[in-house]
Amino acid sequence: MELLKQRILKDGRISGTDILKVDMFLNHQIDIDLLNEMGKEFYRLFQSWDITKILTVEASGIAIACIAAQYFKVPVLFAKKCESRNLDSDVYQSKVYSFTKEKDYLIRVSKKYLLPSDRILIIDDFLANGRAALGLIDICEQAGAVPCGVGIAIEKGYQRGRKLIEEKGVKVEALAVIDSMDEHTGINFS
Ligand code: 5GP
């Protein structure tokens, strides 16, 4: 998606060797006009899949998922990362290794909101090694729901996330795929 690529080139910042910071428009301050265009594009890519629910993980996936959901006209369900007294005890859960925090954490979804009849679109801001998306696919499988696809804003195509998800038979679509990135040569898209 050209609009997103141009925005990454303008406002994205490379942090260390492997993290792209997009706090200016996606992960901290949020550009709603851009998210609207991304939502339309996710709808175009997945409209024929009879999606009944969008599933994401807190926190940065939520805004993207909510705006996309307006085009699909379906609810958003987000997996919680923190243990909370607000969350039912009857949950599906999966262990995820965090790319940015470099440690494992649990994601949880109440059994009440994920049904065997659900056809799920998973949405997230980044795809790196696929751990977050695979954790969400695992939760869908526990519920007997169908993980129809994974929609990603920014994929780092040189990492192995897409391969691992596609090996599970789940379709992956990314709006911007980064082929390489470093502080000297900048960001290159595929
Ligand atoms: P994965 O689970 O695919 O290894 O990593 C994806 C998750 O890690 C996303 O939910 C995202 O929050 C975070 N992440 C991975 N790479 C980046 C990155 O380059 N920049 C930012 N801001 N987050 C990232």
Side-chain angles (χ1 to χ4, degrees), residues 46 48-55 74 77 92 113-123 133-151 165 168-171:
F46 288 103
S48 62
W49 285 77
D50 297 325
I51 299 299
T52 62
K53 212 162 273 174
I54 294 181
L55 179 64
V74 297
L77 181 60
Y92 300 112
Y113 302 122
L114 195 54
L115 310 174
S117 54
D118 274 324
R119 295 179 55 80
I120 300 294
L121 171 61
I122 291 166
I123 281 191
L134 289 167
L136 293 169
I137 290 171
D138 177 31
I139 281 180
C140 289
E141 287 169 346
Q142 291 176 43
V146 182
C148 295
V150 175
I165 297 165
K168 298 210 70 138
V170 179
K171 179 184 166 76

Side-chain angles (χ1 to χ4, degrees), residues 18-22 27 57 60 96-97 99-100 124-133 156 181:
D18 212 15
I19 301 273
L20 177 65
K21 293 190 67 137
V22 288
N27 277 165
V57 60
S60 30
V96 170
Y97 181 79
F99 184 80
T100 45
D124 205 1
D125 56 348
F126 277 90
L127 178 61
N129 291 320
R131 303 294 190 90
K156 290 183 287 179
M181 149 180 118

